[in-house]
Amino acid sequence: MIDLRSDTLTRPTAAMREAMARADVGDDVYGEDPTAQRLQERAAELLGQEAALFVPTGTMANQLALLCHCERGNDVLVGEGNHCMIYESGAAAAWAQVQLSVVGRGGLFTADEMLAAIKPSEYHSPQTRLCAIENTHNRAGGRIFPQAEVERIASAARERGIPLHIDGARIWNASIASGLSTRQLGTPATSISACFSKGLGAPAGSVLAGPKSFIARAHRYRKMLGGGMRQVGILCAAALYALDHHVARLADDHENAKRLAQGLAAHPELLCDPSQVETNIVVFETRTTDARVFTTRATNAGVRMNPISPTRIRAVTHLDVTRADIDQALTLLATC
Ligand code: TLP
């Protein structure tokens, strides 16, 4: 079975497991885990922020950002298909109790669209308190948010007293594909999250990075949400290993995604534009069949992918998928 449902499916390599086994650990709730501290310092530096906090998931990182930036009833501006809106079980409504307003179409948006979406500052309207972007944008097919626009959005938002949060679950992919450092990508943001459990191949773990005072608040909320972990250096060692060994190779995943898209474009039942593929995610459409029907047929043929709407399907390349697997997947899909 060739599994293209997500890059979260990667399993830790033998070398990563060895690094985990060797990790120097302590009780992180006492602030005594040296490996967690090492990772947090390195992540802050890599993301161009003062401080960082290790959290179990990207979802918790996003939720901590909402809790720290906002108050109940606030308005948060997000691109279409934003992860907090679609995939976090309604957590934004349950914990931070904010409303999410969609800006622009397709996931990416401009500073002008963001400015136009800020609610009027009178008491009928919710107070717009945060702007959040995803880089890369998952449902937009792994698209990289153009850096010049991120900078314009950040400075226009700042002028209005609105912080910018970047969900950088796949910021490593954005960096490798754009040639910009993660530091360059992260610096315009007030806060940024990043995941080690997607293309980087760690079994779990994300970070939230931002100003020291913000991270101190996030630390308290992490405890409230039950995210204080003990000998968590075992997971942080996997993340450190991934930073050392699995970042540059993301270029292979991007090449494989492009190759997959080129093959899918030739399939008579599918609509796929390879020029839209910038990183490791391929989103394509079915012409006549329901996406669920097509993905069921694909699974039966030996290729797993996720339907993401009645007509759209997502395929994600990753560490456990080789170029030969992509060629085999295309051969198998040709029969669907
Ligand atoms: N995304 C998962 C699913 O939840 C859809 C995937 O398979 O792609 N931000 C972004 C942009 C993400 O894509 C994800 C995971 C998260 C946050 C949440 O990360 P986790 O799963 O660690 O909570």
Side-chain angles (χ1 to χ4, degrees):
M1 183 68 71
I2 299 166
D3 204 335
L4 304 174
R5 284 173 301 164
S6 182
D7 47 8
T8 58
L9 289 152
T10 50
R11 278 148 308 178
T13 60
M16 180 180 277
R17 285 169 194 254
E18 249 174 60
M20 294 171 77
R22 280 198 314 268
D24 192 6
V25 298
D27 189 331
D28 189 50
V29 175
Y30 285 79
E32 291 174 7
D33 190 295
T35 310
Q37 280 163 18
R38 206 148 54 82
L39 174 66
Q40 288 172 167
E41 280 161 26
R42 183 154 171 207
E45 170 73 25
L46 279 171
L47 297 168
Q49 299 287 341
E50 271 178 14
L53 186 69
F54 186 76
V55 291
T57 61
T59 299
M60 190 184 284
N62 281 338
Q63 293 305 317
L64 293 180
L66 295 177
L67 284 161
C68 292
H69 287 300
C70 302
E71 288 173 15
R72 277 190 306 169
N74 283 170
D75 178 50
V76 179
L77 304 179
V78 298
E80 201 178 347
N82 178 274
H83 196 273
C84 295
M85 195 161 203
I86 313 259
Y87 294 119
E88 297 186 10
S89 273
W95 311 136
Q97 300 181 18
V98 292
Q99 71 169 38
L100 304 174
S101 299
V102 172
V103 185
R105 296 206 54 194
L108 312 185
F109 54 87
T110 64
D112 286 342
E113 286 173 319
M114 186 274 299
L115 285 171
I118 294 174
K119 309 294 177 292
S121 60
E122 41 89 14
Y123 70 89
H124 291 102
S125 305
Q127 197 191 354
T128 302
R129 196 59 207 97
L130 180 66
C131 177
I133 67 172
E134 250 176 69
N135 200 8
T136 64
H137 196 292
N138 180 352
R139 278 182 74 92
R143 295 292 297 275
I144 302 168
F145 219 106
Q147 188 60 8
E149 207 55 56
V150 174
E151 283 164 16
R152 274 195 285 276
I153 290 170
S155 72
R158 197 177 317 112
E159 272 172 31
R160 304 291 293 267
I162 297 172
L164 172 69
H165 172 67
I166 298 181
D167 173 344
R170 298 184 178 83
I171 201 74
W172 323 104
N173 297 81
S175 167
I176 290 299
S178 67
L180 297 170
S181 67
T182 50
R183 192 177 173 81
Q184 283 169 302
L185 298 174
T187 303
T190 317
S191 61
I192 176 167
S193 57
C195 294
F196 305 107
S197 55
K198 313 285 177 302
L200 294 200
S206 299
V207 278
L208 177 65
K212 275 194 182 130
S213 58
F214 170 90
I215 292 301
R217 264 164 72 72
H219 196 169
R220 186 175 281 274
Y221 277 122
R222 183 183 74 174
K223 182 69 181 146
M224 282 188 199
L225 294 179
M229 296 172 283
R230 303 294 177 174
Q231 286 71 32
V232 73
I234 296 221
L235 290 178
C236 295
L240 285 164
Y241 180 89
L243 287 175
D244 288 335
H245 301 278
H246 291 172
V247 177
R249 65 150 304 284
L250 292 172
D252 299 344
D253 295 345
H254 301 169
E255 229 175 78
N256 285 340
K258 198 71 157 185
R259 189 173 180 86
L260 177 68
Q262 281 156 353
L264 293 175
H267 193 293
E269 172 50 26
L270 304 175
L271 277 173
C272 181
D273 181 356
S275 73
Q276 297 290 303
V277 176
E278 298 179 353
T279 56
N280 69 327
I281 301 180
V282 184
V283 171
F284 57 97
E285 290 196 51
T286 48
R287 286 181 200 269
T288 53
T289 325
D290 183 280
R292 279 184 192 283
V293 172
F294 188 87
T295 51
T296 303
R297 289 209 304 250
T299 303
N300 292 337
V303 184
R304 297 187 87 173
M305 299 178 294
N306 273 334
I308 59 166
S309 84
T311 56
R312 293 201 304 155
I313 297 171
R314 184 185 79 155
V316 188
T317 56
H318 54 77
L319 188 58
D320 293 351
V321 172
T322 62
R323 184 185 162 120
D325 290 332
I326 295 296
D327 290 343
Q328 199 196 337
L330 287 168
T331 305
L332 295 170
L333 289 172
T335 65
C336 290

